[in-house]
Amino acid sequence: TILDLRKKVDRQWVSWVEDQNKWIKTNHNVPLNGKRAGIITSFARFPSYLDHIMVCCKAARPETYVPKLSAIKVTSYYLQKMAGALFASLQECAERDSTDQQYAANVMRMENSYFFTQSIKQRGPELITLFAKQISAASAICKTSTDSYLGWMIKREFKALHSLFSNISRIRRDVGDADVPIHVPRSTFVKTLQKESNRDVMKEKIQTIYGRMEKHLSEAGGLLPVAWKALVKVLYEWFGRWEKLSTQCYKHVLDPSAVDVVRIAKAAGGVGMVRQNNNQKKLHDNEFLSNTQDAESNSRKVAKGGNQTKPAKTFKRGPANMPHTYQEMNTRNVDANEI
C-alpha cells in the first residue's frame, strides 16, 4: 500500500541521515590546531542539502507552493538532528586539546555559527521556523565567541595600555581617585600614554589589528565587515572607560580621544575593504584574461584544422543530478552572501 511505501521511504531516509551524522562527527578537513579552519566542510554543504530537500518537495507542484517542513514530524526532527550534529562537531573541534585556544577556537565558533544563521535566514521563513532553536543557539555562540576574540585582539595589541588602566582601576577601587597618582605617578602615566597611544602609533596598531583579523577570518564566512564593526564598538567602549579614568584620576585628556579612535578604526576598515575588493577584482580579471587566452588559442586551432579543446563538463541543477550522499555535496565554501 501507499502507507507501507511511505514507511519504507521514511526508514531509508532516516538511515541515510544517521550515516551523514556519523560523517559529520569525523570533523572532515578541520585542521588539528583549528587555525584558519574557515567554514567547516559539513557546515558549507548543509545549505546545499536543504536546497535539495526544497527542490524535491516542490517537484510537480505550482511555483507558488511552499512546503511546510516544520509540520512533517519525521523530516523536521531529523533535519534538526543533523543541525545538532553540526554544532556538536563544532564544539568538539573547538575544545579538543590540539586546537589553539588563544583565538582559533573562538574564530571557528564565530565563523561557522554566523554562516549557519545567515544561510538559514536567507532561505526564507519556512526554514527559519524549522531551525528557530538552532538559530538562537548559533547567535548566542557567535556573540560569546566574538566578544572573547575581540577582547583578545585588543589586549594583545594594546598590552601596555590595558595593563596600565587595569592597574589604575584596581588601585582606584581600593584608595579612591585622589590617591591613585601616589601609586602610579603622573609622570609614568603620561609617559606611557605618549609612547603607546599617540596618533601615529594608534593608526599603526589599529591597521595591524585589521590585517590580523583579515588573516584569521575566511572570505567564505563573510564575517569580516561584521566583526570589524563590532571591534570598532568595543574600542569605543574600552577607550571611553580609559578616557574617564584619565580625567578623573589625573585630570588628563586622552589624545586621541575615544571618538578619534573610532574614526581611525573606521578609516582602517574602509581602506582594508577597498584593498580586499581590489584583490577580488584582480583575481576576477586574471581569470577572465586566462579564459580569453584559452578561447583565442582554441579558435586558432580550429582555424588551422586542429583538434578543438573540449569544453568543461557542466552539470545542471535538479533532482536528477543531486548527490546520493551528503558528503558528495558541492565542496566549494560558499559565501553566506551568495546563498
Side-chain angles (χ1 to χ4, degrees), residues 21-138:
N21 287 345
K22 290 177 184 177
W23 174 76
I24 290 171
K25 291 177 182 178
T26 64
N27 306 323
H28 184 67
N29 281 346
V30 180
L32 287 177
N33 61 9
K35 293 182 178 180
R36 300 189 186 182
I39 305 305
I40 296 173
T41 306
S42 54
F43 273 83
R45 293 176 181 177
F46 189 60
S48 297
Y49 179 61
L50 294 179
D51 291 341
H52 171 52
I53 290 282
M54 296 299 284
V55 167
C56 292
C57 290
K58 290 179 179 181
R61 294 177 183 272
E63 291 184 6
T64 56
Y65 174 75
V66 179
K68 296 185 180 299
L69 297 181
S70 56
I72 307 173
K73 290 184 179 180
V74 174
T75 304
S76 61
Y77 174 79
Y78 281 96
L79 285 178
Q80 290 183 52
K81 189 173 182 179
M82 190 179 284
L86 290 175
F87 283 98
S89 169
L90 177 62
Q91 179 87 352
E92 181 182 334
C93 290
E95 292 183 348
R96 59 191 180 188
D97 294 339
S98 60
T99 299
D100 173 81
Q101 295 299 319
Q102 278 193 314
Y103 74 89
N106 283 320
V107 169
M108 197 186 301
R109 289 190 186 102
M110 59 195 271
E111 278 205 286
N112 286 279
S113 58
Y114 177 78
F115 179 85
F116 177 88
T117 301
Q118 293 301 109
S119 60
I120 297 298
K121 285 184 175 180
Q122 291 172 11
R123 280 168 167 74
E126 177 54 37
L127 290 179
I128 292 174
T129 301
L130 178 61
F131 293 106
K133 291 182 180 179
Q134 288 77 14
I135 289 174
S136 178

Side-chain angles (χ1 to χ4, degrees), residues 216-233:
H216 291 168
L217 301 180
S218 67
E219 185 179 335
L223 187 57
L224 180 59
V226 179
W228 187 253
K229 186 177 180 180
L231 181 91
V232 172
K233 183 180 178 182

